[in-house]
Amino acid sequence: MKRIEHHFNYLEYDSREELSSDDNNLVERASVISKQAYAPYSLFNVGAALRLEDGNIVVGNNQENVAYPSGLCAERVALFYAKSQFPDLRIKEIAITASSDKFTINQPITPCGACRQALLEYENNQGQNIKIILGSDQSEKVLVINSVKNLLPLSFEEVKLKNQ
Ligand code: THU
């Protein structure tokens, strides 16, 4: 019997300062917009900033609702706005950060499954990797993932909907 070991990679940096200035700037944009999140129930503020291929930056934050499932994560707010306004522009990268006045968040945020799936849809559609940068306001640590495929391993694929 043959065994194949597969690996999924990401990079961990001690400090945001180790990122390029463009990447560092994108994390800062995510951090700034997180402060305007509408998160009265969780008090967990998330910001997302994505850079399009023409250099435009689109930002978003989480929007909650008293009927909890009606709210939406920051990543999908930014993603859906970007693709509704600029459907033909590829997404180069997305930075995501979290902050709270109520409790300490000292680890980089790691996106929920639904947001990973939404990101993957656009990466597959555009045929070019989306880089993901994960940070938090109360920690210098950042994680960098070079493709959504490394963020959502073993994902469901369109090819499964056809004869194989
Ligand atoms: N949230 C995000 O916006 N992005 C994530 O990656 C994880 C969670 C939001 C949803 C909800 O408003 C709050 O954070 C707590 O789950």
Side-chain angles (χ1 to χ4, degrees):
M1 205 178 87
K2 208 172 149 210
R3 193 182 83 165
I4 306 173
E5 202 171 311
H6 296 274
H7 296 275
F8 303 105
N9 302 309
Y10 64 93
L11 298 170
E12 181 177 329
Y13 293 94
D14 289 347
S15 159
R16 278 188 201 180
E17 299 305 315
E18 314 222 10
L19 301 176
S20 69
S21 63
D22 275 356
D23 286 359
N24 204 347
N25 179 46
L26 203 64
V27 177
E28 186 53 29
R29 292 289 301 270
S31 169
V32 169
I33 200 69
S34 77
K35 307 296 187 312
Q36 296 178 35
Y38 178 65
Y41 304 105
S42 71
L43 303 174
F44 187 81
N45 302 316
V46 185
L50 47 93
R51 190 192 314 282
L52 303 175
E53 63 181 333
D54 69 347
N56 251 311
I57 293 176
V58 173
V59 296
N61 49 32
N62 49 330
Q63 297 294 317
E64 298 188 344
N65 192 280
V66 63
Y68 289 6
S70 302
L72 198 62
C73 295
E75 294 89 326
R76 277 175 289 162
V77 169
L79 210 46
F80 294 163
Y81 181 76
K83 293 309 284 187
S84 64
Q85 300 303 301
F86 311 102
D88 301 326
L89 291 183
R90 293 192 184 96
I91 299 165
K92 303 285 285 183
E93 54 180 331
I94 180 168
I96 310 159
T97 66
S99 64
S100 177
D101 294 335
K102 196 76 180 170
F103 44 89
T104 312
I105 305 165
N106 58 15
Q107 289 297 318
I109 180 159
T110 46
C112 78
C115 287
R116 294 176 196 216
Q117 186 72 42
L119 280 162
L120 184 67
E121 180 75 19
Y122 295 118
E123 179 173 281
N124 285 339
N125 180 268
Q126 70 183 25
Q128 196 177 304
N129 286 357
I130 299 175
K131 177 165 148 185
I132 302 115
I133 306 170
L134 307 175
S136 109
D137 258 24
Q138 288 129 306
S139 155
E140 267 297 299
K141 190 160 121 183
V142 270
L143 306 181
V144 178
I145 302 115
N146 62 9
S147 160
V148 186
K149 288 170 196 72
N150 277 320
L151 190 64
L152 188 65
L154 299 175
S155 59
F156 184 72
E157 295 166 309
E158 195 182 358
V159 69
K160 305 276 161 54
L161 297 172
K162 298 172 187 139
N163 265 332
Q164 286 164 50

